[in-house]
Amino acid sequence: MQAAAGSGLQSGLIRIGTFSSVATHWLPNIIKEFQKDYPNIDYELLLGDYTKIERWIAEGRVDFGFIRLPTLPEFETIFLERDHLLVVMPEDHPLAGVGYFPVAALCDYPFMLLEKGAKAEVSEIFERCGISPKVRFTTWDDYAIMSMVESGLGISILPQLILQRIPYRIITKKLEVQAYREIGLAFRDKGSVPLAVRRFLDYMDHRRPADSGGKNTQV
């Protein structure tokens, strides 16, 4: 309360565009810490894929967005973190014991494809490596994929960020080639954002709790 009174920030609204893994695993921690100093700020969260978030930023519908980098060239950005993309498989998978998952082996098993809008990291991996896995199921729902993998219906590739505190009996492996997404913040005009947003940005280092280890994850 004292920090808020000293800053002159008594109220405000922060409008954020975000995707599901950030909304689930980063924003609760950030907002919790921010509210200790600024308890009277309100929030509006819009969840969507990268393309929708870019549109919301461009239209001024949100003050800023969590986004995969690189984004539209007209945006101002802040890099936050590199998020590895991991192969997800059931615990009894034949390759559960390998150190790194062979890229060619992605074609040997039914594949559950996570697609969220036009910018799909997994499809880019396929193109870069010149492979065509047997995609049997496509969805935008991370948790549906994890459930299907647990049931032995196939394998998948998911961002490491979403694979935290999960209830599913699955394991993960890094690919033998580098595979990751870079997460950052994007603004239409960073200099014109409200005071509440400028203060909020100072709390990005609180996005992970002290113990952020993922359950049932092996890399």
Side-chain angles (χ1 to χ4, degrees), residues 19-196:
F19 46 93
S20 61
S21 52
V22 164
T24 302
H25 297 295
W26 282 4
L27 279 173
N29 306 313
I30 297 169
I31 292 173
K32 178 181 178 180
E33 294 300 319
F34 186 73
Q35 281 189 332
K36 292 178 181 178
D37 295 328
Y38 305 101
N40 298 319
I41 302 300
D42 296 321
Y43 310 87
E44 182 181 1
L45 304 183
L46 272 66
L47 269 69
D49 58 45
Y50 306 135
T51 304
K52 285 184 179 179
I53 296 169
E54 287 174 336
R55 184 170 71 247
W56 293 332
I57 297 169
E59 294 173 349
R61 180 65 183 83
V62 296
D63 298 308
F64 68 94
F66 289 86
I67 200 73
R68 176 196 172 194
L69 301 176
T71 182
L72 301 180
E74 60 266 30
F75 290 164
E76 297 180 59
T77 61
I78 299 173
F79 170 77
L80 291 178
E81 194 167 308
R82 177 175 286 184
D83 187 24
H84 288 281
L85 303 175
L86 305 177
V87 179
V88 185
M89 68 189 83
E91 291 181 331
D92 60 354
H93 192 275
L95 296 181
V98 301
Y100 290 88
F101 198 92
V103 170
L106 292 172
C107 300
D108 295 338
Y109 307 95
F111 196 90
M112 313 284 139
L113 180 62
L114 179 70
E115 288 280 14
K116 294 191 175 187
K119 296 185 175 182
E121 299 100 342
V122 178
S123 296
E124 290 176 1
I125 294 173
F126 298 164
E127 294 176 9
R128 173 159 55 97
C129 297
I131 59 174
S132 300
K134 298 174 284 190
V135 177
R136 296 290 174 81
F137 186 85
T138 303
T139 181
W140 56 267
D141 191 320
D142 323 81
Y143 294 101
I145 284 183
M146 285 186 265
S147 180
M148 291 185 179
V149 169
E150 180 186 49
S151 297
L153 298 177
I155 63 174
S156 188
I157 296 177
L158 294 175
Q160 189 171 21
L161 181 57
I162 202 64
L163 294 164
Q164 299 181 45
R165 304 192 303 275
I166 56 173
Y168 303 100
R169 298 180 61 85
I170 57 178
I171 61 173
T172 67
K173 298 288 178 181
K174 287 184 178 179
L175 277 166
E176 62 182 357
V177 298
Q178 282 202 348
Y180 57 84
R181 62 177 177 178
E182 293 191 336
I183 302 174
L185 304 175
F187 310 80
R188 186 170 62 173
D189 180 5
K190 186 172 179 288
S192 66
V193 297
L195 176 60

